[in-house]
Amino acid sequence: PNSGTNLERLDFRTDVWAPRLTEYLVELQGTKPVVWAGDFNVAHLDQDIWNVGAKHLVKTAGMTPRERESFTKQLADTNMVDAFRQLREDARHWYTYWSVRVGNLPYNKGLRLDYVCCSSSMCGSGNGPSVVDCRILSGEGEGVDA
């Protein structure tokens, strides 16, 4: 969930929702490899934020230290990985959200808020399903080169 404009849902997101989802993902992985994908409303790493040094970010939904740390903990506790980052560790300027209100898309001033995460076993050379590629597509359906 989004933490809200005034972070009114931050406690719920990090203290209730995240632990419950983590518990469910761990349980599910006990039966099969898992892919967890969608709009997570968090810019996890510095590479996922175009203006990472801006002072207002620590008070902005999706970019608070608590949300970013919570997502790191979820990945660790579930033994899952960000498939895109696993395959493109140093990629920069690959975003999935741009503010329409201020017109950031043409300047690629964005955030990566959408993720495809998977069981870490899917990112190795072993038996079973595996991730071989993960891309962020442009509006035209083309893969964006970093």
mmCIF file of all heavy atoms in Angstrom, residues 44-70:
data_model
loop_
_atom_site.group_PDB
_atom_site.id
_atom_site.type_symbol
_atom_site.label_atom_id
_atom_site.label_comp_id
_atom_site.label_asym_id
_atom_site.label_seq_id
_atom_site.Cartn_x
_atom_site.Cartn_y
_atom_site.Cartn_z
ATOM 1 N N HIS A 44 13.416 1.313 -3.932
ATOM 2 C CA HIS A 44 14.251 0.524 -3.041
ATOM 3 C C HIS A 44 15.683 1.046 -2.894
ATOM 4 O O HIS A 44 16.146 1.325 -1.799
ATOM 5 C CB HIS A 44 14.257 -0.932 -3.519
ATOM 6 C CG HIS A 44 15.003 -1.849 -2.636
ATOM 7 N ND1 HIS A 44 15.769 -2.873 -3.122
ATOM 8 C CD2 HIS A 44 15.123 -1.897 -1.296
ATOM 9 C CE1 HIS A 44 16.322 -3.517 -2.123
ATOM 10 N NE2 HIS A 44 15.938 -2.951 -0.995
ATOM 11 N N LEU A 45 16.391 1.151 -3.995
ATOM 12 C CA LEU A 45 17.812 1.512 -3.948
ATOM 13 C C LEU A 45 18.040 2.920 -4.492
ATOM 14 O O LEU A 45 17.210 3.465 -5.212
ATOM 15 C CB LEU A 45 18.628 0.503 -4.769
ATOM 16 C CG LEU A 45 18.510 -0.958 -4.334
ATOM 17 C CD1 LEU A 45 19.276 -1.857 -5.296
ATOM 18 C CD2 LEU A 45 19.003 -1.145 -2.907
ATOM 19 N N ASP A 46 19.203 3.471 -4.183
ATOM 20 C CA ASP A 46 19.537 4.802 -4.684
ATOM 21 C C ASP A 46 19.440 4.864 -6.206
ATOM 22 O O ASP A 46 19.012 5.874 -6.759
ATOM 23 C CB ASP A 46 20.950 5.198 -4.253
ATOM 24 C CG ASP A 46 21.044 5.548 -2.775
ATOM 25 O OD1 ASP A 46 19.989 5.598 -2.090
ATOM 26 O OD2 ASP A 46 22.175 5.773 -2.304
ATOM 27 N N GLN A 47 19.813 3.781 -6.892
ATOM 28 C CA GLN A 47 19.756 3.744 -8.356
ATOM 29 C C GLN A 47 18.331 3.858 -8.878
ATOM 30 O O GLN A 47 18.117 4.094 -10.060
ATOM 31 C CB GLN A 47 20.357 2.452 -8.916
ATOM 32 C CG GLN A 47 21.787 2.210 -8.564
ATOM 33 C CD GLN A 47 21.916 1.277 -7.377
ATOM 34 O OE1 GLN A 47 21.447 1.580 -6.289
ATOM 35 N NE2 GLN A 47 22.577 0.154 -7.572
ATOM 36 N N ASP A 48 17.357 3.663 -8.018
ATOM 37 C CA ASP A 48 15.946 3.689 -8.410
ATOM 38 C C ASP A 48 15.309 5.075 -8.257
ATOM 39 O O ASP A 48 14.107 5.222 -8.443
ATOM 40 C CB ASP A 48 15.159 2.666 -7.582
ATOM 41 C CG ASP A 48 15.676 1.250 -7.756
ATOM 42 O OD1 ASP A 48 16.143 0.928 -8.858
ATOM 43 O OD2 ASP A 48 15.602 0.468 -6.789
ATOM 44 N N ILE A 49 16.126 6.079 -7.948
ATOM 45 C CA ILE A 49 15.621 7.436 -7.693
ATOM 46 C C ILE A 49 16.460 8.425 -8.492
ATOM 47 O O ILE A 49 17.686 8.492 -8.316
ATOM 48 C CB ILE A 49 15.719 7.779 -6.185
ATOM 49 C CG1 ILE A 49 14.971 6.753 -5.348
ATOM 50 C CG2 ILE A 49 15.212 9.187 -5.925
ATOM 51 C CD1 ILE A 49 15.207 6.871 -3.853
ATOM 52 N N TRP A 50 15.832 9.215 -9.336
ATOM 53 C CA TRP A 50 16.599 10.132 -10.191
ATOM 54 C C TRP A 50 17.289 11.233 -9.395
ATOM 55 O O TRP A 50 18.366 11.665 -9.739
ATOM 56 C CB TRP A 50 15.727 10.733 -11.303
ATOM 57 C CG TRP A 50 14.830 11.859 -10.855
ATOM 58 C CD1 TRP A 50 13.572 11.732 -10.341
ATOM 59 C CD2 TRP A 50 15.126 13.250 -10.863
ATOM 60 N NE1 TRP A 50 13.058 12.964 -10.024
ATOM 61 C CE2 TRP A 50 13.993 13.927 -10.345
ATOM 62 C CE3 TRP A 50 16.220 14.019 -11.261
ATOM 63 C CZ2 TRP A 50 13.940 15.307 -10.213
ATOM 64 C CZ3 TRP A 50 16.151 15.395 -11.126
ATOM 65 C CH2 TRP A 50 15.031 16.020 -10.609
ATOM 66 N N ASN A 51 16.668 11.696 -8.313
ATOM 67 C CA ASN A 51 17.220 12.805 -7.523
ATOM 68 C C ASN A 51 17.503 12.352 -6.093
ATOM 69 O O ASN A 51 17.091 12.973 -5.132
ATOM 70 C CB ASN A 51 16.277 14.004 -7.528
ATOM 71 C CG ASN A 51 14.906 13.681 -6.949
ATOM 72 O OD1 ASN A 51 14.518 12.514 -6.861
ATOM 73 N ND2 ASN A 51 14.170 14.706 -6.580
ATOM 74 N N VAL A 52 18.253 11.284 -5.978
ATOM 75 C CA VAL A 52 18.443 10.605 -4.702
ATOM 76 C C VAL A 52 18.938 11.515 -3.581
ATOM 77 O O VAL A 52 18.621 11.285 -2.422
ATOM 78 C CB VAL A 52 19.355 9.369 -4.865
ATOM 79 C CG1 VAL A 52 20.794 9.766 -5.114
ATOM 80 C CG2 VAL A 52 19.234 8.446 -3.677
ATOM 81 N N GLY A 53 19.640 12.566 -3.864
ATOM 82 C CA GLY A 53 20.164 13.431 -2.804
ATOM 83 C C GLY A 53 19.202 14.478 -2.295
ATOM 84 O O GLY A 53 19.506 15.182 -1.332
ATOM 85 N N ALA A 54 18.025 14.601 -2.905
ATOM 86 C CA ALA A 54 17.074 15.642 -2.508
ATOM 87 C C ALA A 54 16.621 15.452 -1.060
ATOM 88 O O ALA A 54 16.243 14.354 -0.658
ATOM 89 C CB ALA A 54 15.880 15.648 -3.452
ATOM 90 N N LYS A 55 16.644 16.525 -0.299
ATOM 91 C CA LYS A 55 16.341 16.449 1.138
ATOM 92 C C LYS A 55 14.902 16.058 1.446
ATOM 93 O O LYS A 55 14.629 15.453 2.476
ATOM 94 C CB LYS A 55 16.686 17.777 1.808
ATOM 95 C CG LYS A 55 18.173 18.025 1.804
ATOM 96 C CD LYS A 55 18.547 19.313 2.483
ATOM 97 C CE LYS A 55 20.058 19.429 2.399
ATOM 98 N NZ LYS A 55 20.628 20.586 2.929
ATOM 99 N N HIS A 56 13.967 16.388 0.571
ATOM 100 C CA HIS A 56 12.561 16.105 0.842
ATOM 101 C C HIS A 56 12.216 14.611 0.718
ATOM 102 O O HIS A 56 11.179 14.173 1.193
ATOM 103 C CB HIS A 56 11.657 16.915 -0.089
ATOM 104 C CG HIS A 56 11.684 16.448 -1.514
ATOM 105 N ND1 HIS A 56 12.689 16.793 -2.387
ATOM 106 C CD2 HIS A 56 10.835 15.644 -2.192
ATOM 107 C CE1 HIS A 56 12.460 16.233 -3.556
ATOM 108 N NE2 HIS A 56 11.349 15.529 -3.462
ATOM 109 N N LEU A 57 13.087 13.832 0.113
ATOM 110 C CA LEU A 57 12.759 12.427 -0.145
ATOM 111 C C LEU A 57 12.512 11.613 1.116
ATOM 112 O O LEU A 57 11.669 10.717 1.116
ATOM 113 C CB LEU A 57 13.855 11.766 -0.985
ATOM 114 C CG LEU A 57 14.029 12.311 -2.391
ATOM 115 C CD1 LEU A 57 15.121 11.557 -3.125
ATOM 116 C CD2 LEU A 57 12.726 12.268 -3.160
ATOM 117 N N VAL A 58 13.227 11.900 2.188
ATOM 118 C CA VAL A 58 13.063 11.113 3.418
ATOM 119 C C VAL A 58 11.680 11.279 4.040
ATOM 120 O O VAL A 58 11.299 10.501 4.914
ATOM 121 C CB VAL A 58 14.158 11.420 4.461
ATOM 122 C CG1 VAL A 58 15.524 11.043 3.922
ATOM 123 C CG2 VAL A 58 14.117 12.869 4.900
ATOM 124 N N LYS A 59 10.929 12.277 3.560
ATOM 125 C CA LYS A 59 9.578 12.516 4.063
ATOM 126 C C LYS A 59 8.527 12.281 2.980
ATOM 127 O O LYS A 59 7.385 12.695 3.118
ATOM 128 C CB LYS A 59 9.454 13.956 4.571
ATOM 129 C CG LYS A 59 10.378 14.286 5.723
ATOM 130 C CD LYS A 59 10.259 15.739 6.096
ATOM 131 C CE LYS A 59 11.330 16.129 7.085
ATOM 132 N NZ LYS A 59 11.378 17.573 7.307
ATOM 133 N N THR A 60 8.924 11.610 1.890
ATOM 134 C CA THR A 60 8.035 11.377 0.761
ATOM 135 C C THR A 60 7.647 9.910 0.691
ATOM 136 O O THR A 60 8.511 9.033 0.753
ATOM 137 C CB THR A 60 8.731 11.791 -0.555
ATOM 138 O OG1 THR A 60 9.107 13.174 -0.457
ATOM 139 C CG2 THR A 60 7.823 11.601 -1.744
ATOM 140 N N ALA A 61 6.349 9.652 0.565
ATOM 141 C CA ALA A 61 5.859 8.271 0.477
ATOM 142 C C ALA A 61 6.610 7.517 -0.604
ATOM 143 O O ALA A 61 6.824 8.018 -1.700
ATOM 144 C CB ALA A 61 4.364 8.262 0.175
ATOM 145 N N GLY A 62 7.025 6.306 -0.263
ATOM 146 C CA GLY A 62 7.739 5.451 -1.194
ATOM 147 C C GLY A 62 9.244 5.600 -1.126
ATOM 148 O O GLY A 62 9.973 4.781 -1.670
ATOM 149 N N MET A 63 9.705 6.633 -0.440
ATOM 150 C CA MET A 63 11.145 6.875 -0.376
ATOM 151 C C MET A 63 11.659 7.083 1.043
ATOM 152 O O MET A 63 12.821 7.428 1.240
ATOM 153 C CB MET A 63 11.504 8.054 -1.269
ATOM 154 C CG MET A 63 11.309 7.702 -2.726
ATOM 155 S SD MET A 63 11.492 9.094 -3.816
ATOM 156 C CE MET A 63 9.861 9.811 -3.711
ATOM 157 N N THR A 64 10.813 6.879 2.030
ATOM 158 C CA THR A 64 11.265 7.042 3.408
ATOM 159 C C THR A 64 12.253 5.928 3.749
ATOM 160 O O THR A 64 12.170 4.826 3.207
ATOM 161 C CB THR A 64 10.095 6.982 4.406
ATOM 162 O OG1 THR A 64 9.547 5.663 4.408
ATOM 163 C CG2 THR A 64 9.019 8.015 4.083
ATOM 164 N N PRO A 65 13.182 6.202 4.630
ATOM 165 C CA PRO A 65 14.102 5.144 5.044
ATOM 166 C C PRO A 65 13.373 3.903 5.572
ATOM 167 O O PRO A 65 13.793 2.770 5.299
ATOM 168 C CB PRO A 65 14.944 5.812 6.139
ATOM 169 C CG PRO A 65 14.923 7.268 5.780
ATOM 170 C CD PRO A 65 13.541 7.498 5.220
ATOM 171 N N ARG A 66 12.282 4.091 6.299
ATOM 172 C CA ARG A 66 11.545 2.944 6.838
ATOM 173 C C ARG A 66 10.995 2.054 5.733
ATOM 174 O O ARG A 66 11.049 0.827 5.830
ATOM 175 C CB ARG A 66 10.390 3.405 7.734
ATOM 176 C CG ARG A 66 10.852 3.781 9.123
ATOM 177 C CD ARG A 66 9.728 4.219 10.008
ATOM 178 N NE ARG A 66 8.715 3.203 10.219
ATOM 179 C CZ ARG A 66 7.513 3.454 10.738
ATOM 180 N NH1 ARG A 66 7.183 4.681 11.086
ATOM 181 N NH2 ARG A 66 6.646 2.490 10.902
ATOM 182 N N GLU A 67 10.441 2.656 4.679
ATOM 183 C CA GLU A 67 9.897 1.859 3.581
ATOM 184 C C GLU A 67 11.003 1.131 2.834
ATOM 185 O O GLU A 67 10.869 -0.061 2.508
ATOM 186 C CB GLU A 67 9.133 2.754 2.603
ATOM 187 C CG GLU A 67 7.830 3.282 3.175
ATOM 188 C CD GLU A 67 7.279 4.405 2.340
ATOM 189 O OE1 GLU A 67 7.945 5.461 2.215
ATOM 190 O OE2 GLU A 67 6.165 4.227 1.821
ATOM 191 N N ARG A 68 12.079 1.817 2.569
ATOM 192 C CA ARG A 68 13.183 1.209 1.835
ATOM 193 C C ARG A 68 13.822 0.092 2.653
ATOM 194 O O ARG A 68 14.119 -0.985 2.124
ATOM 195 C CB ARG A 68 14.194 2.290 1.451
ATOM 196 C CG ARG A 68 13.576 3.318 0.479
ATOM 197 C CD ARG A 68 14.484 4.470 0.181
ATOM 198 N NE ARG A 68 15.557 4.021 -0.714
ATOM 199 C CZ ARG A 68 16.645 4.725 -0.960
ATOM 200 N NH1 ARG A 68 16.814 5.909 -0.404
ATOM 201 N NH2 ARG A 68 17.566 4.260 -1.782
ATOM 202 N N GLU A 69 14.007 0.308 3.943
ATOM 203 C CA GLU A 69 14.565 -0.728 4.821
ATOM 204 C C GLU A 69 13.604 -1.902 4.961
ATOM 205 O O GLU A 69 14.027 -3.063 5.018
ATOM 206 C CB GLU A 69 14.899 -0.140 6.187
ATOM 207 C CG GLU A 69 16.075 0.807 6.155
ATOM 208 C CD GLU A 69 16.180 1.705 7.381
ATOM 209 O OE1 GLU A 69 15.417 1.504 8.363
ATOM 210 O OE2 GLU A 69 17.010 2.628 7.347
ATOM 211 N N SER A 70 12.318 -1.619 5.015
ATOM 212 C CA SER A 70 11.310 -2.676 5.110
ATOM 213 C C SER A 70 11.355 -3.587 3.888
ATOM 214 O O SER A 70 11.268 -4.810 4.004
ATOM 215 C CB SER A 70 9.921 -2.053 5.269
ATOM 216 O OG SER A 70 8.922 -3.031 5.268
#
